[in-house]
Structure formats: structure tokens, C-alpha cells
Amino acid sequence: MDAALARAWVSAVAASVASQAELLTQLDAAIGDSDHGVNLNRGFTAVLAALDSASFETPGEVLVRTGTTLVSKVGGASGPLYGSAFRALGKALGSSSTVDAAAFGAGLRAGLDAVRKLGGAAPGDKTMVDAYEPAVAAFEKAAGDGLAAAARAAADAAAEGMRATTPLQARKGRASYLGERSVGHQDPGATSTWLVFEALAAAAA
Amino acid sequence: MDAALARAWVSAVAASVASQAELLTQLDAAIGDSDHGVNLNRGFTAVLAALDSASFETPGEVLVRTGTTLVSKVGGASGPLYGSAFRALGKALGSSSTVDAAAFGAGLRAGLDAVRKLGGAAPGDKTMVDAYEPAVAAFEKAAGDGLAAAARAAADAAAEGMRATTPLQARKGRASYLGERSVGHQDPGATSTWLVFEALAAAAA
Amino acid sequence: MKKFVNDPESVVREALAGIAAAHPELRVDLEKQIIVRSDAPRNGKVGLVSGGGSGHEPLHGGFVGPGMLDAACPGEVFTSPVPDQILAATQAVDGGAGVVHVVKNYTGDVMNFEMAAELAGDEGVEVHTVLVDDDVAVEDSTWTAGRRGTGATLIVEKVAGALAETGASAAAVAAAGARVNEGGASFAGALAACTTPAVGGCGFDLPDDEMEVGVGIHGEPGRRREKLRPARDIAALAVDAVLGAKPLSAGSETIVLLNGLGGTPLIELYLLYGEVAALLDKAGVRIARNLVGNYVTSLDMAGASLTVCKVDAELLRLWDTPVRTPALRWGV
Amino acid sequence: MKKFVNDPESVVREALAGIAAAHPELRVDLEKQIIVRSDAPRNGKVGLVSGGGSGHEPLHGGFVGPGMLDAACPGEVFTSPVPDQILAATQAVDGGAGVVHVVKNYTGDVMNFEMAAELAGDEGVEVHTVLVDDDVAVEDSTWTAGRRGTGATLIVEKVAGALAETGASAAAVAAAGARVNEGGASFAGALAACTTPAVGGCGFDLPDDEMEVGVGIHGEPGRRREKLRPARDIAALAVDAVLGAKPLSAGSETIVLLNGLGGTPLIELYLLYGEVAALLDKAGVRIARNLVGNYVTSLDMAGASLTVCKVDAELLRLWDTPVRTPALRWGV
Ligand SMILES: Nc1ncnc2c1ncn2[C@@H]1O[C@H](COP(=O)(O)OP(=O)(O)O)[C@@H](O)[C@H]1O
Ligand SMILES: Nc1ncnc2c1ncn2[C@@H]1O[C@H](COP(=O)(O)OP(=O)(O)O)[C@@H](O)[C@H]1O
Ligand SMILES: [Mg+2]
Ligand SMILES: [Mg+2]
Ligand SMILES: [Mg+2]
Ligand SMILES: [Mg+2]
């Protein structure tokens, strides 16, 4: 992955978030506060502007800038979480102008660690971690087959993890306030995480 | 008319207002503030209690007490207006224990005068006067035929006056705020006035 | 109908019990249905009484206290109080210097207050009346019941209350109130009707893309219905109506009330106020003081009203004096 | 969606412009999206900052001023503010004695305030945090994000603000705030959901004869749904929940907030308060002070919350000190 591909990925995330904002917000209406799509869309719109107004030499720079912008524009729970994830990923990629799939997989795991450290959620808590964790594991496993294949595997695993949040009772985030009433609804954050990995697969294909 | 008949009349008004309260309120919702039925029902419920807790020798006493109770229980525009009408009627009947149709007609006109003086409405302003005025005129005209016949004529004239309020634009009361939008609705106060005269016809029949 | 009530018939009485519990500094008479300042009557001080239908809270009970009303008499929901009540309030605050009634111009309010004033006169209490009729949505012609009393009532009550506190005569207090009313103009719009406890329903039904323009505070339909427009257009509509009815020369000082009708969130009221302030500024009108919030409401109606009230130095000084009531408090 | 707005995306910024116009005594920075007391920073005085998603007005911006908050940072509607904003507010009120953050316990608020505190620490500003988590509708277990911060926030901000005014240390101010939170318990119910400007819709749809019990202030569904009941039953439900979660010994002194969620008329809030006061009295709980009104809202949600906060003589004294903010004012 190089700076151009990183940019292409983030742009694809932005496009996907924009087109799916209503879905994300509707999912959040059921077990949260109806703002997840609005939040991410505001954030990624700002990210596009930030990326457009500068040039970047490395994918790390692109992704750190993406994360920093998300932190300062999104707010809510998803802003710090996604922001930290992209920042940790970007930082992990260091100053290389291209990174291979293995290094990128390690970066993704650094992002996941950041999310888990900041939010304290474990798999099964019905959060974005439930999509993120299997996606990283699948990516690592397929990293030997190259970025495109690994990204595809990650996206599929994210989708599965996302769908698996539906029967869970939430233990983190706003949905946890609902107790048993959170069961039967797909987690909005896990859904947006799936979009992120789908965009990666599409950009890398 | 004697005290017993006056009581019977007022009781009949109370029963009619109670059963038609919703209609009166709905009419008031269209061009007023949705309380005419509630107001009169509260008032006549109190009137029944007041009449039950005392005995009266003359129809005048019954009607003065009715008016006084309405003034102190109804509020709004209709409280002082109906209250004053019944008080003026009762006072006009003096201390006789029975009055004939002519005297009763004069009393009704005294009541109408009180309403017109207090509220300043003329026929055609889309108020209770539009039912009250023709009712009194019809009563006076038929007074020679006795109370029952005069009351029947008054009730019919009130009904016609009431219906004639529909095409009018209001110039008094809350409905006047609506300007042209008041056209096409039957006036709630004219409707309750019709109920009052219908009750009289029923009681006197 | 969805409301926090026990029984629609007892709403006013039970709310009064709550006011009594919340404000031990006031005297609430549940029997007579009046709210009285605890130190009333004060010898030689003009008593200031207002009242009207309930459902407009904090008006009027929320404005009872030092510096403002001496008593309020709340009627049933949207129904003016009865003469007995008004008389009781009048007598409770009569300190020998006369009593001033602040009456919003509705047929029912006017008649009931008139009857009470007559009864009070019979008892030897001199009553002066200030009629408030600031709502310019209604034409002021002999062909209507005249303009309604709405937002300016608060300003009348504050200013008259301040003057009464100084020991001024009843005539002077009433005159100051009338002066405020003279300079005041209001205009309201609604996005959704209110729900009365007794009826449950609403005075009007609005499609999702329409608003009622020129509404009052009793759930009655407005002057007309329009397509819903952005806040800045609605603000312009209100400013135009108000300045159109009572033109202000450039440099005029005003008190502005951007009032919520009960169901509109404060964030929207502030947004509207921002628009209104910019428009008034453009028109050369100076806003000396302002209030933004729910003060003269119509139950849970989603809507807002604008009141612009021209003031001179004396009225402004009276506005600024300390006031201590449940809903308006400063300086103390 | 029917709202007084121009564009859902600019609601918060435009409302801030309105707040700026209405309150010249505050400094409103539209760029940084913060509301700051005009005399901040004050040398040697602890700065008190709060913030959270918008839509809860007057919380928090309406509580900025002498005796209460030094600054507020409103996020987008129902979305916690971002670290930049919080940092800007923190720096704006830092008078060298440290800054205290009052944070309602929501995952987003906690994380964003934490990040800001870290950034502020990097800039040499010592930040203490008071976490408010008074909503007993949520179980306080490791299996949830913990209890939400709701009505008690107002009491925390008033008390901490009063103490900060005396020149107390940041640690002491934070400790007083934490003590209020410790003694505070809240419970809310809703009769109808709110409408957010961005989405238009509602978090939940309620049939005409049902209510949501245990709701928060973000339009989220409550803990459960029940048949609508009379006000006295709803009051009992709230009192039981609050006293059940934080039992009070007979004779305990409390501050009670009967709070409207935005769309409930004041007459109903007073009616509810009457019921609550009677129930607390029966339970031997003393209400030393009370507030009835819309203070911690959820846009136009039809609903109400009860907060009961145990206080000792010192906290009560701090509650009583003068405060001068747009939404809470006494003694000055
Ligand atoms: N502690 C947490 N750890 C990981 N993810 C979380 C946590 N809390 C919430 N989330 C995720 O954030 C999503 C909600 O994001 P968003 O709606 O933007 O923020 P908010 O909940 O503050 O309104 C949830 O669906 C969930 O996936
Ligand atoms: N000035 C008036 N003269 C005569 N009748 C009037 C006048 N004003 C109003 N009314 C009558 O009163 C009726 C409304 O009564 P009601 O709804 O009880 O009082 P309010 O208008 O105060 O709510 C109107 O329908 C009308 O017939
Ligand atoms: Mg959310
Ligand atoms: Mg009516
Ligand atoms: Mg009425
Ligand atoms: Mg949120």
C-alpha cells in the first residue's frame, strides 16, 4: 500500500459512509441516539477536505491525518474510536512510502488495540470490535496472499462479525442502557466497520 | 311557569349540555379554544348541586341562583353571558310564584338585553345572540298561545338562528380572530342557546 | 391523550398544589384558586393582580412575588377565571391604595374581570384595569373582539409591579402598564397544535409541511396557513408583522421577548432569536433587553412568538429593578 | 420534520449565534464553538468547564456565568463535543489554579473529555474530572457503560461553581462535585419521543396508551414500555426507583429537581411535583430546595425526570450562593 492507495481507501470509505449514512443512523435509532451516520458522514467529509488540501508522501501520513481529523470532527463515541484506530494504524506504518500486506495487517491490529484500550470493549460486547476483531484476524491469516486477497477476507469476516452482533446483548456504549432490549438489533458501529473493510477490499482489488 | 317548572327546565338544560358537551367543544375547536362544552357542563353540574341543596318558592329565585352559579363556575365568555342572562331573567320574574307566558317572554328579553349589553354583540356577529334574538322574538309572538307553544316556537327559531350562523364571519368572541376563516362553521354559543330553548320546550310541553 | 395528569378535571387544582409545594414563599389558596405573595396585603402599596386561563404557565402564577404581581388567579385550562376568584385575589392584596388588574384582551377575561372589579368596588376597593392587546396578528377593528393579549403581558406585569413597589398610585401603575402595552407588539406562529387535558385533541391539524401563522395562545387556528419555511423566513415574517403594525423609528430602544409556546426546544428559540436580532439590527431597532424562553405558553404547542416593546428610560429602569418570582428573578 | 431551523447541519452554530446575541455578558466563540464567562480566566480561580451534546438546553451553555460554569462546549445535537473544543474551553478559563471538567457519563463524552484533558495536561493545565452518573434507570454494573449523567449535572455544576468562586483548589471543587453526584439519583419517563433536526424522526414510536420508562436524554428507548398511568402512579414509580437505588434515611435533606424533557408543559411538571413532594414527605425525606422546569432537556421530548440529591449543610450553603447565568439566577 502506498499514499495513493491509502487515499483511495479513505475516499471509498467516505463515499460509502455518505451513501449508507441513513442506514447507520437508523440502526443507531433502534439502540442508540440516531446519530451514527450523521457523525461519520460529518467526519469523513472533513477528512476528504483535509486530504485534498495537502499532499502526502506515505500511507502513514494519510492515515494519521485521517484519524486526527476524525477525532476533531466526529465527537461521540465513534469519533475517538475510529480516530484512534486510524491514527494508530498510520503510526504503525511508520515513514515507509509503501508497505506490504503483513505490515499493513500489523497496523490494523495496532488500530484494533487502540480501540480496545480506549473503549474497553471485548468481542461479544456488541460494538465495532465485533466486526473489527475478526476482520484483522482474517486479514493476518490471508496476508501471505497479498493485500487484495487479505482485504477481501477481512471484509467478509467483518460482515460476518457485524451480522453476529444482532443476537447479542450490548455491554458497552449507549446500547447497553437498553439491557435485554438491545437484543435483536445489528450494532451500528460494527456496521460502519464493515463498510470500512469493504472499502479497503474495493480500493485494493 | 312556577319554581318546579323552572327547576325542570334548568335540569333539562343540564342534561342536554352534558350529553352534547362533546359536540359543543368540537364546534369550539374549529373556531375557538375547544372548551365551550367543558365550560357549560362544569357550570350546569354546579347549578344542579346548588339547586339540590336548597328549596325555592319562585321561578325567579331558581333562575337567579342558576345565573349566579354559572357566573361563579363557568368562566370564559359564556359564563358571564349565560350567567347574566339567567340572572336578568330571574330578576325580571320578580317574586311571583307563577308567571304567565307574556311575563316569561319579557324576562327572556331582559336576559337577551343583558347579554347584548355585556358582550356588545349584535345579530349577525356569529354569537349566541343569533339564536337568542330570534328565539325571544318567536316566543313573544306566540306568547298568547301559552308557554308550551311559545317555547316550541322559540326553540325552532333558535335552531334556525343557530344554523344561520354557519355562513357568517365572526365579529365578536374568539372566532373573530380567524377573520374569513370563521366562515363555514356553526357557532358553539348559538348551538348551546338552541339547547337551552329546546330544553325549555321539552320541559314546558 | 398523553399527559402527566390524574384526571382532566382536576389538573388546575393539582398543579396549584404542586406550585404550593414548590414555592413555600407564596401563599396558595387551593379553595379560592389564587396565588398570593406571602407579604400581601402591604399597607399603602397598590396591589397588582392578574389572571387568565391556565395552560400559559409560567404566566401568571410564575410571576407572583416581590417586584411583580401580588396575586394571580388561574382559571380552568384556556378559560378565564371567574369573578369570585378575581375578587378574592383583589381583596387579598388590597392594602388600601387600590388594586390594578392586568387583563389580557379576551372577551371572557374582560367580562369576568369587569364583574369582579364591580364587586370589589361594592366592597370599597378601587380597581384600575390595564388591558393588554399586543397581538398584531389580529386586526384591531370594530369588526373583531380586538387584538389578543399575549407576550407583552409579561412586560406589563414586570414594569407595573416595579412601579407598584415604589408606592406609586394605582392610576400611575395602571398608566405605566398601559404605556408598555401601547409600545408592545407580538406575533406568533405554530408548527403543531397543543393538546388540552380536557379534550385531548387539538384545535387544528397541520400537515407535515405546513405552519399556522398568526396563532394565539389558546390552541385556536391562526390567521392563515402557509408552507413551512426556514427559520430565517419565519423570523422575517414576525419582524415584518410587528414593525408593520407598530413602526419604530431608527434608534428606538426595545425589550424583545422571543417566547416559546411550550413544545419548542430552547435551541430552536435561540436560533430564532439570532435571526430576529439580526433583522431588528438591520431595521435600526436597538434591543436594550431580551428574554428567550418559555414564558407565555400554550400548553405543549410547538411554536414561538416574538414581542417587541418600545421602551423609554423610565420603563427600562422599571424593567431592571429587582424581581423575585418563580419564573423571573434578578437583582435579589 | 417540523422545526425552527434553516439547515439541520447548522443548527448548533446558529443557535450559538442566538445565544451570543441574547447574552452579551457571555463570550461566545462561534469558531471554536464554546461559551465562556466574560471575565475568564480569573487569576487563581479554578476554571469549571462542562459540555456535551446539544439538544439539552439550557444545559450546559445556560449555566455559564458567575457562580456556576466558566465555560461550556456544546457538541452537535446529541453528540459529545470534540477534544479540540474542550481543550479550547479549558485553556480559555485556566487561571493557573487548574480546571475541573464536569462530564456526564456517556462513552463518547468520557473519551472526548479524556483526550482533551490529556492535551491540556500536555499544555501544562492540570485537569480534574467529575463524572456524573445519576440515572438509576441504568444498572451500574460492569456489564453496561454505567449509569448515565442526567439531572444531577445541574446540581453538580451549581455546587462546584459556587465552591470554585471561593478560591478553593481544583481537587476540592472536583470533590464537592463528586459528593453531589454520589448523593444524587434520577429517573425519567417519556410520553413521546423527540425529533432530532438531522434525522427528523424519533428514536422510538409510542402507541397512544403507552409510555417509555427509564429513558435517558438522547431520544434512546427506555428500559421498558408500560401502559400509560395517572401522574400519581408515575410519580410513585420515579420516587421508588430513586429511593430504591439510593436509600435515604428519614430526615435526610435533599435538593429535588422535577425536570421537563422539553415538550411537557409546566402545568404538568408542577402537578407531578405536587405528587412527588407528597410521596417524599411520606418517606420522611425533607426537600430543602427544589426546582421545577425545563433544565436538562431532550429536545422536544414529552417527558419528565426526577432528581433527588442528598445534601449536607455545606452543599446546601453552596447551592444557595448567588448565581448569575442565563437559566439559573438568584441572589444577584
Ligand atoms: N466502548 C466502546 N468500544 C467500542 N465501540 C464502541 C464503544 N461504545 C460505543 N461503541 C461503538 O460506537 C457506536 C456508536 O457510535 P456513535 O453513534 O457515533 O456514537 P454515540 O454512541 O456517542 O452516539 C456503537 O454502535 C458501537 O459500535
Ligand atoms: N361578545 C359576545 N357576545 C355574545 N356572545 C359571545 C360573545 N363572545 C363570545 N360569545 C359566545 O360565546 C361562545 C364561546 O363560549 P366559550 O367557548 O365558553 O368561551 P371562550 O370563548 O371564552 O372560550 C361563542 O361561541 C359565542 O357564541
Ligand atoms: Mg449514536
Ligand atoms: Mg371557548
Ligand atoms: Mg375559553
Ligand atoms: Mg451520539
Side-chain angles (χ1 to χ4, degrees), chain D residues 89-108:
Chain D
T90 303
Q91 290 177 318
V93 305
D94 171 37
V99 172
V100 172
H101 287 175
V102 178
V103 182
K104 302 195 296 304
N105 187 36
Y106 300 97
T107 306

Side-chain angles (χ1 to χ4, degrees), chain B residues 28 33 35-36 39 76-78 81 119 121 127-128 173-174 187-189, chain C residues 107:
Chain B
D28 200 28
D33 59 349
D35 64 356
H36 189 54
N39 287 348
S78 56
L81 291 170
T127 70
M128 55 176 70
R174 287 178 193 287
D187 180 61
Chain C
T107 306

